[in-house]
Each structure stands twice: as structure tokens, then as C-alpha cells.
Amino acid sequence: MADRLPSSGWYAKRPGLTVLAAVAALLGLLIVLPYLQYVLLGVVLAYILHPAQRWLERYTGSLVAALTLVAVAVLAILLPLSYVLIVAFREALDVITAIQNGQLDIEAIETQIEATGYSIDVVEFYQTYQEPIATGLQGLAMSALEIAGGIPGILIGLTVSLFVLFALLRDGGEFVEWMTRVLPVEDELLSELVTELDQLMWASVVGNVAVAGIQAVLLGVGLALLGVPTVVLLSVVTFIFALLPLIGAFGVWVPVSLYLLGTGQFVTAGILVVYGSIVSASDTYIRPALI
């Protein structure tokens, strides 16, 4: 530990510089807080692309490697993700508009359900709770408009993510080395902490996000082949549900299967139940394999 910086003393000898550094850190924190989620996005992307950065640095400089990976992140990750979210947002608005305009044939669904031997007065239920349903839909529409109005803020946040990504890719290694020198922690304990943190990050990114993405794609492909509408929206919802414990893809394909049963598409519903069960069960095998 001879190469470590002294853990105390410099801030006592230079109180003015210490106060200035503390004020600058506080002001920087106030600036970063509104965009904290985008900073974390940049950190996660930098962590994922770090092995590629180290590989590219063998053939180019750190600056060129970082710029290349930022361009890859924009073209291969952020732009496709933005497009998918825009399509899902548009499909959600279409569904809300169809329900508000009464284009959803409730009576036909009730007739199909009664044909299976169950008696459910869907029309009465809808009429009874029409006001709270309309209020909820109006709230969803307002939330959608708020999201659309916040697009400039989202673009600024994504720009912050790209700057954080570039800085960490180019100078992340030096930053980690500096942190290990200035932290007043024993070398062995610090090494163990870094190793555990790396394993935790990898399990979180790969074990949760990647598996959720794979399940969303698999279920989305199945829904598209079966001719189910709003596939992109359902795929995005599947991804979100797959990140939540005890829900997963089950929370999407089961309601869709019930809807298909209610509309008389029994064969399609049966196929979706089998396929959806396989997608949900795949979590048991995909997660350990990736981790």
C-alpha cells in the first residue's frame, strides 16, 4: 500500500481548496440529480461495452475506441430501442382510442364466453364500471401526453448518457485505479469488494435485463405469427413484467389467451398457452446459462 495517497492531511492543510471542492461537488450533484437515471444508463452501457473497449484499444487509441463504441451504442442500441418504444406508444394510444370510441365489441366477447358454458355479463360489468374505466383511460391518455411533452428532456438526458458513456469508456480504467489508491481500504478487502461488485453488476445486467429481452422477443415473435394485434406493445410489456419477480411473461400471454378464448379463437389460444408456457419456463434455463 506504499503507492496509496495519504488518506488524511491534505484537506486539513488546504481548507480553502477543500471547501471549494465540496461546493463544486454539491453544485455538480444538484445538476446531475434531475438526470440521474440517464447517468446510470451511461454507467450500465459503459460496463457492458468495457470488454469491447479494452479489445479495440489494442488496435487503436482509447479516444478512437470510445468514439466507435458510442456510435455503436447509438446505432445498435438507443435508436432501435427508441423506435420500439415509439411504436409501442402509438399502439397503446390506438388501443385507448378504440376503447373510448366504443370500437371494442363487448357483446360479441360475452357471446363467445357464454358459448363455452360460462355465464358472465360483460356488458353489465362494463356499463357499471364505465365511469372509473373512462377515468383510468383518461389518466393513461394524459400520462401519454406528458411523456410526449417531455421528449426534449428525454433527448437531453440521452445526450448526458452518451457523454457519460464516452468519458467512462475512455478514462474509466484510470478512474478505477485512482479510486483504489485514494480509498482508505485495505488492498485485499478492496479487491474482494470490486470482484463482488463486478459479479453483482453482471448478474443484474445479464441475468435480468438480457433474459427479459430474450423472453420479450420470443413471445413477440409467437404473437406475431399467431396474428395477435399490438405485438410491439405486448412485447414491451413482457419485457417490463419479466424484470419483475413472480410475474414474467406469464402476465402477458395468459390475458391474451383469455381474450382469444373469449373471441372464439380456441386453436390460437391453445397454441399460445403451450408456447407461452415454454417461454416462461425458458427463464429457468436461460438465466443460469448466461450468468
Side-chain angles (χ1 to χ4, degrees):
M1 297 179 61
D3 58 342
R4 284 186 180 276
L5 295 178
S7 59
S8 63
W10 64 270
Y11 43 82
K13 295 178 181 178
R14 300 180 179 178
L17 183 60
T18 302
V19 172
L20 181 61
V23 172
L26 179 60
L27 293 177
L29 182 62
L30 293 176
I31 296 174
V32 169
L33 279 179
Y35 300 99
L36 183 60
Q37 64 271 30
Y38 297 103
V39 173
L40 294 178
L41 174 61
V43 172
V44 172
L45 289 177
Y47 176 78
I48 296 173
L49 297 175
H50 178 73
Q53 173 74 14
R54 299 282 79 82
W55 181 79
L56 284 176
E57 286 181 353
R58 300 177 185 175
Y59 309 98
T60 62
S62 60
L63 176 63
V64 176
L67 289 174
T68 302
L69 291 178
V70 168
V72 169
V74 171
L75 296 177
I77 301 177
L78 295 181
L79 286 182
L81 179 62
S82 300
Y83 175 76
V84 170
L85 292 178
I86 290 173
V87 174
F89 176 74
R90 186 182 306 162
E91 291 182 351
L93 287 181
D94 291 340
V95 172
I96 294 174
T97 302
I99 296 177
Q100 288 180 330
N101 294 338
Q103 297 175 1
L104 187 63
D105 195 348
I106 304 295
E107 295 182 357
I109 295 177
E110 181 182 350
T111 302
Q112 292 293 340
I113 293 177
E114 290 177 350
T116 63
Y118 296 94
S119 179
I120 301 177
D121 195 345
V122 182
V123 176
E124 182 180 355
F125 175 83
Y126 179 76
Q127 291 176 349
T128 303
Y129 297 97
Q130 185 174 6
E131 184 175 350
I133 291 175
T135 303
L137 292 175
Q138 185 177 3
L140 289 175
M142 292 300 296
S143 300
L145 292 176
E146 290 178 0
I147 294 175
I151 289 179
I154 295 175
L155 294 178
I156 295 175
L158 291 177
T159 303
V160 172
S161 299
L162 293 179
F163 275 105
V164 171
L165 172 62
F166 171 76
L168 290 179
L169 287 176
R170 188 188 63 178
D171 302 320
E174 290 76 5
F175 176 73
V176 172
E177 292 179 1
W178 177 79
M179 288 291 294
T180 58
R181 285 190 287 111
V182 301
L183 287 177
V185 182
E186 295 293 335
D187 287 343
E188 294 182 1
L189 182 60
L190 185 61
S191 177
E192 181 181 355
L193 177 63
V194 171
T195 301
E196 293 291 337
L197 182 61
D198 180 66
Q199 293 176 354
L200 177 63
M201 284 284 292
W202 186 254
S204 299
V205 173
V206 176
N208 293 320
V209 178
V211 172
I214 292 173
Q215 288 189 330
V217 171
L218 290 176
L219 187 61
V221 171
L223 293 174
L225 293 177
L226 293 175
V228 177
T230 65
V231 172
V232 177
L233 175 61
L234 293 174
S235 299
V236 173
V237 175
T238 302
F239 176 79
I240 296 174
F241 281 178
L243 293 175
L244 303 176
L246 304 179
I247 300 181
F250 182 86
V252 173
W253 63 262
V254 168
V256 174
S257 300
L258 294 176
Y259 169 78
L260 294 174
L261 284 174
T263 55
Q265 304 178 56
F266 303 110
V267 176
T268 305
I271 295 174
L272 181 58
V273 169
V274 175
Y275 183 75
S277 301
I278 295 175
V279 172
S280 296
S282 66
D283 179 270
T284 308
Y285 303 97
I286 296 176
R287 191 183 303 274
L290 289 177
I291 294 179

